Amino acid sequence: MEAISIVGGGIAGLALAASLDPSRYDVSIFEKRPELPTVGTVLAMWPNAQRALARVGVLAGARAVSPVLGNGSIRNAAGKPWVTVRGGELFGISRVDLLRLLDGAVPGTVRRVASHVRQLPPVDRLLVGADGVHSVVRREVWGTASDARLTSALAVRGTIPSPVEAGEVGEYWGRGDLFGIAAAPGGTNWYGSWRSTLGPTGIDVEEALTQARRRFADHAPAIRQVLAAASPELSLAQRIWTVPPLRSYVSGAAVLVGDAAHAMTPNLGRGACESLVDAVVLADLLNSLPREKALAAYDRQRRLRTRALSLGSAAMMKVALADGAQPFRDRLLNLAARLSPAAAYP
């Protein structure tokens, strides 16, 4: 059997371990925090991610604990809709539930190692970096030029137990800030973002919530109500980091998946989805091809696709967080609201 070391037991790492052929591979997962999280935001599952969940065998379970997101609107800061988007069968699953389902799908033959990897496993085995935006594998193999890059944006997000009103769902774009409201299992999922000097690490959630309440004090009533109900226990706060474009996701016997390969801004809602797709594509190729051919095919299939999404997400963040150009942006969106019917997710 061929040995594979997966560094990182998050979405990409667990999905990969669950999809590799256990009769062919001796798989080890190294995860510094082996316990599952108790707090997490809601992740939109696009069609490609739903196909990946079906491949892993957890799509039915994911749907069972997740509300369909339905229609939502891009709105101005006061709450007036500009563009309404039909969500179709798009659903939102909490990160906690997603990790629980993926963890349960990992075969018992996979070895779990509770360890903060500071020295890479032996080079005689395939090494998978699934260890996130600050990947140790990427830094050690691809070099310091691949280090994560800090953006100016702060992301604060969480859930509240009260249900969302249908007429309040969507994303609210103000001057240099945005706020999103959507359905969550048992309540409402929310997130806010603006340029901030908090951090870059170890951000106090209570301080971030206080700053958010000040920042959005003059925005739509729905935003103020959500923030009034938000608690530090059910909220997260972090600066947004991204990974610079890499010439390849493969280097020798090392390969990157998920945020370790292409951490992007959250503005298209594709980060978790693409991590799932990375995992099942890599697993299926490794299950059917010799290692070198499988890794080359993975790089061809995933690098340009995820690079395009990273660029699109960064562009969307600039538009959503427009400051000086906000009046011009709003005029264009007011015009679009008069001319365009409801859009559909691709």
Side-chain angles (χ1 to χ4, degrees), residues 34-64:
E35 68 279 359
L36 295 177
T38 57
V39 178
T41 191
V42 172
L43 307 168
M45 291 290 101
W46 293 70
N48 63 342
Q50 294 184 37
R51 290 189 291 271
L53 291 174
R55 164 66 180 82
V56 177
V58 298
L59 178 59
R63 285 192 175 280

PDB file of all heavy atoms in Angstrom, residues 34-64:
ATOM      1  N   PRO A  34      -7.713  18.206  16.992  1.00  0.00           N
ATOM      2  CA  PRO A  34      -8.533  17.101  16.511  1.00  0.00           C
ATOM      3  C   PRO A  34     -10.000  17.189  16.912  1.00  0.00           C
ATOM      4  O   PRO A  34     -10.851  16.592  16.264  1.00  0.00           O
ATOM      5  CB  PRO A  34      -7.871  15.874  17.142  1.00  0.00           C
ATOM      6  CG  PRO A  34      -7.156  16.396  18.344  1.00  0.00           C
ATOM      7  CD  PRO A  34      -6.707  17.780  17.987  1.00  0.00           C
ATOM      8  N   GLU A  35     -10.319  17.945  17.972  1.00  0.00           N
ATOM      9  CA  GLU A  35     -11.723  18.063  18.354  1.00  0.00           C
ATOM     10  C   GLU A  35     -12.460  18.959  17.353  1.00  0.00           C
ATOM     11  O   GLU A  35     -11.894  19.918  16.816  1.00  0.00           O
ATOM     12  CB  GLU A  35     -11.850  18.628  19.769  1.00  0.00           C
ATOM     13  CG  GLU A  35     -11.416  20.079  19.933  1.00  0.00           C
ATOM     14  CD  GLU A  35      -9.906  20.266  20.064  1.00  0.00           C
ATOM     15  OE1 GLU A  35      -9.187  19.254  20.036  1.00  0.00           O
ATOM     16  OE2 GLU A  35      -9.460  21.423  20.176  1.00  0.00           O
ATOM     17  N   LEU A  36     -13.726  18.622  17.083  1.00  0.00           N
ATOM     18  CA  LEU A  36     -14.510  19.402  16.132  1.00  0.00           C
ATOM     19  C   LEU A  36     -14.921  20.730  16.761  1.00  0.00           C
ATOM     20  O   LEU A  36     -15.149  20.815  17.972  1.00  0.00           O
ATOM     21  CB  LEU A  36     -15.756  18.615  15.703  1.00  0.00           C
ATOM     22  CG  LEU A  36     -15.468  17.334  14.908  1.00  0.00           C
ATOM     23  CD1 LEU A  36     -16.766  16.596  14.613  1.00  0.00           C
ATOM     24  CD2 LEU A  36     -14.730  17.649  13.616  1.00  0.00           C
ATOM     25  N   PRO A  37     -15.031  21.800  15.965  1.00  0.00           N
ATOM     26  CA  PRO A  37     -15.410  23.103  16.523  1.00  0.00           C
ATOM     27  C   PRO A  37     -16.859  23.105  16.986  1.00  0.00           C
ATOM     28  O   PRO A  37     -17.680  22.301  16.541  1.00  0.00           O
ATOM     29  CB  PRO A  37     -15.213  24.056  15.331  1.00  0.00           C
ATOM     30  CG  PRO A  37     -15.396  23.197  14.123  1.00  0.00           C
ATOM     31  CD  PRO A  37     -14.834  21.851  14.501  1.00  0.00           C
ATOM     32  N   THR A  38     -17.168  24.030  17.886  1.00  0.00           N
ATOM     33  CA  THR A  38     -18.538  24.174  18.375  1.00  0.00           C
ATOM     34  C   THR A  38     -19.208  25.430  17.844  1.00  0.00           C
ATOM     35  O   THR A  38     -20.418  25.606  17.995  1.00  0.00           O
ATOM     36  CB  THR A  38     -18.552  24.210  19.912  1.00  0.00           C
ATOM     37  OG1 THR A  38     -17.712  25.289  20.370  1.00  0.00           O
ATOM     38  CG2 THR A  38     -18.037  22.903  20.487  1.00  0.00           C
ATOM     39  N   VAL A  39     -18.428  26.323  17.244  1.00  0.00           N
ATOM     40  CA  VAL A  39     -18.962  27.559  16.664  1.00  0.00           C
ATOM     41  C   VAL A  39     -18.460  27.669  15.232  1.00  0.00           C
ATOM     42  O   VAL A  39     -17.280  27.424  14.966  1.00  0.00           O
ATOM     43  CB  VAL A  39     -18.506  28.803  17.464  1.00  0.00           C
ATOM     44  CG1 VAL A  39     -19.041  30.075  16.816  1.00  0.00           C
ATOM     45  CG2 VAL A  39     -18.977  28.710  18.913  1.00  0.00           C
ATOM     46  N   GLY A  40     -19.362  28.018  14.333  1.00  0.00           N
ATOM     47  CA  GLY A  40     -18.949  28.174  12.939  1.00  0.00           C
ATOM     48  C   GLY A  40     -20.033  28.840  12.136  1.00  0.00           C
ATOM     49  O   GLY A  40     -21.220  28.738  12.479  1.00  0.00           O
ATOM     50  N   THR A  41     -19.635  29.534  11.096  1.00  0.00           N
ATOM     51  CA  THR A  41     -20.597  30.220  10.262  1.00  0.00           C
ATOM     52  C   THR A  41     -21.249  29.240   9.304  1.00  0.00           C
ATOM     53  O   THR A  41     -20.917  28.052   9.250  1.00  0.00           O
ATOM     54  CB  THR A  41     -19.909  31.365   9.494  1.00  0.00           C
ATOM     55  OG1 THR A  41     -20.892  32.191   8.866  1.00  0.00           O
ATOM     56  CG2 THR A  41     -18.961  30.805   8.447  1.00  0.00           C
ATOM     57  N   VAL A  42     -22.199  29.729   8.510  1.00  0.00           N
ATOM     58  CA  VAL A  42     -22.906  28.902   7.533  1.00  0.00           C
ATOM     59  C   VAL A  42     -22.247  29.047   6.168  1.00  0.00           C
ATOM     60  O   VAL A  42     -21.900  30.157   5.744  1.00  0.00           O
ATOM     61  CB  VAL A  42     -24.395  29.291   7.469  1.00  0.00           C
ATOM     62  CG1 VAL A  42     -25.094  28.589   6.319  1.00  0.00           C
ATOM     63  CG2 VAL A  42     -25.083  28.945   8.785  1.00  0.00           C
ATOM     64  N   LEU A  43     -22.061  27.940   5.486  1.00  0.00           N
ATOM     65  CA  LEU A  43     -21.395  27.903   4.185  1.00  0.00           C
ATOM     66  C   LEU A  43     -22.401  27.555   3.102  1.00  0.00           C
ATOM     67  O   LEU A  43     -23.124  26.558   3.217  1.00  0.00           O
ATOM     68  CB  LEU A  43     -20.277  26.857   4.202  1.00  0.00           C
ATOM     69  CG  LEU A  43     -19.263  26.995   5.342  1.00  0.00           C
ATOM     70  CD1 LEU A  43     -18.384  25.747   5.418  1.00  0.00           C
ATOM     71  CD2 LEU A  43     -18.413  28.242   5.155  1.00  0.00           C
ATOM     72  N   ALA A  44     -22.468  28.361   2.062  1.00  0.00           N
ATOM     73  CA  ALA A  44     -23.353  28.073   0.936  1.00  0.00           C
ATOM     74  C   ALA A  44     -22.769  26.940   0.101  1.00  0.00           C
ATOM     75  O   ALA A  44     -21.583  26.955  -0.237  1.00  0.00           O
ATOM     76  CB  ALA A  44     -23.545  29.312   0.068  1.00  0.00           C
ATOM     77  N   MET A  45     -23.587  25.941  -0.205  1.00  0.00           N
ATOM     78  CA  MET A  45     -23.148  24.817  -1.011  1.00  0.00           C
ATOM     79  C   MET A  45     -23.674  24.965  -2.438  1.00  0.00           C
ATOM     80  O   MET A  45     -24.852  24.748  -2.720  1.00  0.00           O
ATOM     81  CB  MET A  45     -23.646  23.505  -0.394  1.00  0.00           C
ATOM     82  CG  MET A  45     -22.989  23.137   0.924  1.00  0.00           C
ATOM     83  SD  MET A  45     -21.238  22.634   0.783  1.00  0.00           S
ATOM     84  CE  MET A  45     -20.391  24.144   1.317  1.00  0.00           C
ATOM     85  N   TRP A  46     -22.775  25.364  -3.331  1.00  0.00           N
ATOM     86  CA  TRP A  46     -23.096  25.522  -4.742  1.00  0.00           C
ATOM     87  C   TRP A  46     -23.202  24.133  -5.395  1.00  0.00           C
ATOM     88  O   TRP A  46     -22.805  23.121  -4.800  1.00  0.00           O
ATOM     89  CB  TRP A  46     -22.018  26.352  -5.426  1.00  0.00           C
ATOM     90  CG  TRP A  46     -21.982  27.772  -4.954  1.00  0.00           C
ATOM     91  CD1 TRP A  46     -21.569  28.219  -3.718  1.00  0.00           C
ATOM     92  CD2 TRP A  46     -22.378  28.935  -5.675  1.00  0.00           C
ATOM     93  NE1 TRP A  46     -21.678  29.575  -3.646  1.00  0.00           N
ATOM     94  CE2 TRP A  46     -22.158  30.048  -4.823  1.00  0.00           C
ATOM     95  CE3 TRP A  46     -22.869  29.151  -6.959  1.00  0.00           C
ATOM     96  CZ2 TRP A  46     -22.443  31.365  -5.224  1.00  0.00           C
ATOM     97  CZ3 TRP A  46     -23.144  30.459  -7.367  1.00  0.00           C
ATOM     98  CH2 TRP A  46     -22.936  31.537  -6.509  1.00  0.00           C
ATOM     99  N   PRO A  47     -23.730  24.068  -6.611  1.00  0.00           N
ATOM    100  CA  PRO A  47     -23.923  22.750  -7.240  1.00  0.00           C
ATOM    101  C   PRO A  47     -22.669  21.896  -7.326  1.00  0.00           C
ATOM    102  O   PRO A  47     -22.737  20.680  -7.115  1.00  0.00           O
ATOM    103  CB  PRO A  47     -24.455  23.115  -8.637  1.00  0.00           C
ATOM    104  CG  PRO A  47     -25.198  24.393  -8.416  1.00  0.00           C
ATOM    105  CD  PRO A  47     -24.384  25.150  -7.392  1.00  0.00           C
ATOM    106  N   ASN A  48     -21.520  22.509  -7.616  1.00  0.00           N
ATOM    107  CA  ASN A  48     -20.303  21.690  -7.710  1.00  0.00           C
ATOM    108  C   ASN A  48     -19.930  21.101  -6.352  1.00  0.00           C
ATOM    109  O   ASN A  48     -19.458  19.960  -6.256  1.00  0.00           O
ATOM    110  CB  ASN A  48     -19.140  22.495  -8.301  1.00  0.00           C
ATOM    111  CG  ASN A  48     -18.725  23.683  -7.444  1.00  0.00           C
ATOM    112  OD1 ASN A  48     -19.464  24.147  -6.580  1.00  0.00           O
ATOM    113  ND2 ASN A  48     -17.532  24.201  -7.695  1.00  0.00           N
ATOM    114  N   ALA A  49     -20.165  21.855  -5.284  1.00  0.00           N
ATOM    115  CA  ALA A  49     -19.894  21.338  -3.948  1.00  0.00           C
ATOM    116  C   ALA A  49     -20.887  20.248  -3.569  1.00  0.00           C
ATOM    117  O   ALA A  49     -20.529  19.274  -2.892  1.00  0.00           O
ATOM    118  CB  ALA A  49     -19.948  22.473  -2.930  1.00  0.00           C
ATOM    119  N   GLN A  50     -22.126  20.390  -4.010  1.00  0.00           N
ATOM    120  CA  GLN A  50     -23.122  19.355  -3.727  1.00  0.00           C
ATOM    121  C   GLN A  50     -22.756  18.042  -4.420  1.00  0.00           C
ATOM    122  O   GLN A  50     -22.928  16.959  -3.846  1.00  0.00           O
ATOM    123  CB  GLN A  50     -24.502  19.831  -4.161  1.00  0.00           C
ATOM    124  CG  GLN A  50     -25.008  21.011  -3.337  1.00  0.00           C
ATOM    125  CD  GLN A  50     -26.421  21.420  -3.716  1.00  0.00           C
ATOM    126  OE1 GLN A  50     -27.274  20.588  -4.015  1.00  0.00           O
ATOM    127  NE2 GLN A  50     -26.686  22.716  -3.692  1.00  0.00           N
ATOM    128  N   ARG A  51     -22.215  18.139  -5.625  1.00  0.00           N
ATOM    129  CA  ARG A  51     -21.751  16.913  -6.300  1.00  0.00           C
ATOM    130  C   ARG A  51     -20.589  16.289  -5.545  1.00  0.00           C
ATOM    131  O   ARG A  51     -20.484  15.058  -5.448  1.00  0.00           O
ATOM    132  CB  ARG A  51     -21.364  17.230  -7.749  1.00  0.00           C
ATOM    133  CG  ARG A  51     -22.563  17.576  -8.647  1.00  0.00           C
ATOM    134  CD  ARG A  51     -22.155  17.665 -10.098  1.00  0.00           C
ATOM    135  NE  ARG A  51     -21.317  18.809 -10.368  1.00  0.00           N
ATOM    136  CZ  ARG A  51     -21.783  20.020 -10.715  1.00  0.00           C
ATOM    137  NH1 ARG A  51     -23.106  20.225 -10.801  1.00  0.00           N
ATOM    138  NH2 ARG A  51     -20.966  21.018 -10.977  1.00  0.00           N
ATOM    139  N   ALA A  52     -19.722  17.132  -4.991  1.00  0.00           N
ATOM    140  CA  ALA A  52     -18.605  16.601  -4.203  1.00  0.00           C
ATOM    141  C   ALA A  52     -19.109  15.923  -2.932  1.00  0.00           C
ATOM    142  O   ALA A  52     -18.614  14.857  -2.546  1.00  0.00           O
ATOM    143  CB  ALA A  52     -17.628  17.730  -3.858  1.00  0.00           C
ATOM    144  N   LEU A  53     -20.089  16.516  -2.289  1.00  0.00           N
ATOM    145  CA  LEU A  53     -20.666  15.902  -1.091  1.00  0.00           C
ATOM    146  C   LEU A  53     -21.315  14.558  -1.422  1.00  0.00           C
ATOM    147  O   LEU A  53     -21.241  13.609  -0.634  1.00  0.00           O
ATOM    148  CB  LEU A  53     -21.694  16.840  -0.457  1.00  0.00           C
ATOM    149  CG  LEU A  53     -21.142  18.116   0.184  1.00  0.00           C
ATOM    150  CD1 LEU A  53     -22.289  19.016   0.638  1.00  0.00           C
ATOM    151  CD2 LEU A  53     -20.227  17.783   1.354  1.00  0.00           C
ATOM    152  N   ALA A  54     -21.954  14.489  -2.592  1.00  0.00           N
ATOM    153  CA  ALA A  54     -22.538  13.212  -3.015  1.00  0.00           C
ATOM    154  C   ALA A  54     -21.453  12.172  -3.227  1.00  0.00           C
ATOM    155  O   ALA A  54     -21.619  10.996  -2.861  1.00  0.00           O
ATOM    156  CB  ALA A  54     -23.347  13.414  -4.295  1.00  0.00           C
ATOM    157  N   ARG A  55     -20.326  12.584  -3.793  1.00  0.00           N
ATOM    158  CA  ARG A  55     -19.211  11.657  -4.008  1.00  0.00           C
ATOM    159  C   ARG A  55     -18.679  11.130  -2.678  1.00  0.00           C
ATOM    160  O   ARG A  55     -18.353   9.939  -2.548  1.00  0.00           O
ATOM    161  CB  ARG A  55     -18.099  12.378  -4.800  1.00  0.00           C
ATOM    162  CG  ARG A  55     -16.745  11.725  -4.790  1.00  0.00           C
ATOM    163  CD  ARG A  55     -16.718  10.382  -5.500  1.00  0.00           C
ATOM    164  NE  ARG A  55     -15.388   9.790  -5.455  1.00  0.00           N
ATOM    165  CZ  ARG A  55     -14.893   9.112  -4.420  1.00  0.00           C
ATOM    166  NH1 ARG A  55     -15.640   8.918  -3.336  1.00  0.00           N
ATOM    167  NH2 ARG A  55     -13.672   8.621  -4.463  1.00  0.00           N
ATOM    168  N   VAL A  56     -18.604  11.983  -1.678  1.00  0.00           N
ATOM    169  CA  VAL A  56     -18.134  11.557  -0.363  1.00  0.00           C
ATOM    170  C   VAL A  56     -19.179  10.683   0.324  1.00  0.00           C
ATOM    171  O   VAL A  56     -18.841   9.865   1.184  1.00  0.00           O
ATOM    172  CB  VAL A  56     -17.785  12.786   0.504  1.00  0.00           C
ATOM    173  CG1 VAL A  56     -17.360  12.381   1.908  1.00  0.00           C
ATOM    174  CG2 VAL A  56     -16.666  13.607  -0.147  1.00  0.00           C
ATOM    175  N   GLY A  57     -20.446  10.882  -0.051  1.00  0.00           N
ATOM    176  CA  GLY A  57     -21.521  10.082   0.533  1.00  0.00           C
ATOM    177  C   GLY A  57     -22.274  10.758   1.649  1.00  0.00           C
ATOM    178  O   GLY A  57     -22.963  10.088   2.425  1.00  0.00           O
ATOM    179  N   VAL A  58     -22.185  12.109   1.726  1.00  0.00           N
ATOM    180  CA  VAL A  58     -22.834  12.817   2.834  1.00  0.00           C
ATOM    181  C   VAL A  58     -23.828  13.873   2.362  1.00  0.00           C
ATOM    182  O   VAL A  58     -24.296  14.683   3.171  1.00  0.00           O
ATOM    183  CB  VAL A  58     -21.772  13.474   3.755  1.00  0.00           C
ATOM    184  CG1 VAL A  58     -20.867  12.413   4.367  1.00  0.00           C
ATOM    185  CG2 VAL A  58     -20.958  14.526   3.013  1.00  0.00           C
ATOM    186  N   LEU A  59     -24.190  13.878   1.074  1.00  0.00           N
ATOM    187  CA  LEU A  59     -25.096  14.920   0.583  1.00  0.00           C
ATOM    188  C   LEU A  59     -26.448  14.851   1.273  1.00  0.00           C
ATOM    189  O   LEU A  59     -27.001  15.883   1.685  1.00  0.00           O
ATOM    190  CB  LEU A  59     -25.261  14.812  -0.934  1.00  0.00           C
ATOM    191  CG  LEU A  59     -26.225  15.836  -1.565  1.00  0.00           C
ATOM    192  CD1 LEU A  59     -25.762  17.252  -1.277  1.00  0.00           C
ATOM    193  CD2 LEU A  59     -26.340  15.604  -3.073  1.00  0.00           C
ATOM    194  N   ALA A  60     -27.009  13.665   1.404  1.00  0.00           N
ATOM    195  CA  ALA A  60     -28.318  13.540   2.045  1.00  0.00           C
ATOM    196  C   ALA A  60     -28.259  14.037   3.484  1.00  0.00           C
ATOM    197  O   ALA A  60     -29.162  14.750   3.951  1.00  0.00           O
ATOM    198  CB  ALA A  60     -28.795  12.093   1.992  1.00  0.00           C
ATOM    199  N   GLY A  61     -27.209  13.677   4.190  1.00  0.00           N
ATOM    200  CA  GLY A  61     -27.057  14.140   5.562  1.00  0.00           C
ATOM    201  C   GLY A  61     -26.887  15.641   5.646  1.00  0.00           C
ATOM    202  O   GLY A  61     -27.409  16.283   6.570  1.00  0.00           O
ATOM    203  N   ALA A  62     -26.178  16.220   4.679  1.00  0.00           N
ATOM    204  CA  ALA A  62     -25.983  17.666   4.667  1.00  0.00           C
ATOM    205  C   ALA A  62     -27.298  18.388   4.415  1.00  0.00           C
ATOM    206  O   ALA A  62     -27.613  19.391   5.074  1.00  0.00           O
ATOM    207  CB  ALA A  62     -24.952  18.042   3.606  1.00  0.00           C
ATOM    208  N   ARG A  63     -28.075  17.900   3.475  1.00  0.00           N
ATOM    209  CA  ARG A  63     -29.372  18.521   3.192  1.00  0.00           C
ATOM    210  C   ARG A  63     -30.304  18.427   4.402  1.00  0.00           C
ATOM    211  O   ARG A  63     -31.098  19.343   4.656  1.00  0.00           O
ATOM    212  CB  ARG A  63     -30.021  17.858   1.985  1.00  0.00           C
ATOM    213  CG  ARG A  63     -29.415  18.248   0.645  1.00  0.00           C
ATOM    214  CD  ARG A  63     -30.297  17.774  -0.498  1.00  0.00           C
ATOM    215  NE  ARG A  63     -29.814  18.227  -1.783  1.00  0.00           N
ATOM    216  CZ  ARG A  63     -30.019  19.446  -2.284  1.00  0.00           C
ATOM    217  NH1 ARG A  63     -30.701  20.340  -1.578  1.00  0.00           N
ATOM    218  NH2 ARG A  63     -29.546  19.783  -3.472  1.00  0.00           N
ATOM    219  N   ALA A  64     -30.219  17.336   5.132  1.00  0.00           N
ATOM    220  CA  ALA A  64     -31.135  17.117   6.247  1.00  0.00           C
ATOM    221  C   ALA A  64     -30.951  18.134   7.365  1.00  0.00           C
ATOM    222  O   ALA A  64     -31.888  18.389   8.132  1.00  0.00           O
ATOM    223  CB  ALA A  64     -30.953  15.708   6.795  1.00  0.00           C
TER     224      ALA A  64
END
